[in-house]
Amino acid sequence: MPHQQTIERKTARTTTKFTGEVTCKGGSSRGIVKDLSAAGICFQLYFDINATTGQEVSIKSDEFGHLTGVVQWYRGDKIGIRLNVSSNTSAQISSYYKYFR
């Protein structure tokens, strides 16, 4: 029986369920932010935007404003976005936890 590896995350994720919009070179789609951490987002798309791994994206939401990142993975209607690290990004994520959580 093969040994399954356990992936340890550097930052804890919080399950969420609020709407936002993701835009990339291939198009844009509204959808649901399924989980959120200081390092990334799991976003469930309403429409396919032909996002590819490594592609830059922007994310807008009333809960945290405007963030940018890179597509880390893409599976069906969900994409994983690694957020661009900056003090502004950290402040926006902290603000979400403070006011919306």
Side-chain angles (χ1 to χ4, degrees):
M1 182 181 327
H3 175 69
Q4 289 191 352
Q5 291 181 324
T6 303
I7 298 172
E8 283 191 41
R9 300 208 175 260
K10 292 181 182 178
T11 56
R13 294 182 293 171
T14 301
T15 301
T16 60
K17 192 172 183 178
F18 58 88
T19 60
E21 183 173 11
V22 171
T23 303
C24 70
K25 186 178 177 182
S28 66
S29 174
R30 295 211 39 87
I32 300 170
V33 176
K34 300 297 282 182
D35 67 43
L36 176 67
S37 75
I41 294 172
C42 175
F43 195 91
Q44 185 172 15
L45 301 166
Y46 290 157
F47 305 102
D48 186 13
I49 56 173
N50 297 314
T52 58
T53 303
Q55 190 172 45
E56 292 185 18
V57 295
S58 64
I59 309 104
K60 292 181 192 171
S61 172
D62 290 340
E63 284 74 7
F64 55 65
H66 181 262
L67 300 173
T68 58
V70 175
V71 176
Q72 189 70 23
W73 53 265
Y74 194 104
R75 293 182 202 112
D77 63 348
K78 293 180 184 172
I79 59 175
I81 302 167
R82 181 175 27 93
L83 296 173
N84 293 334
V85 180
S86 71
S87 58
N88 187 45
T89 298
S90 297
Q92 287 171 276
I93 298 298
S94 294
S95 178
Y96 165 77
Y97 287 120
K98 184 176 180 179
Y99 295 108
F100 293 100
R101 193 68 179 132

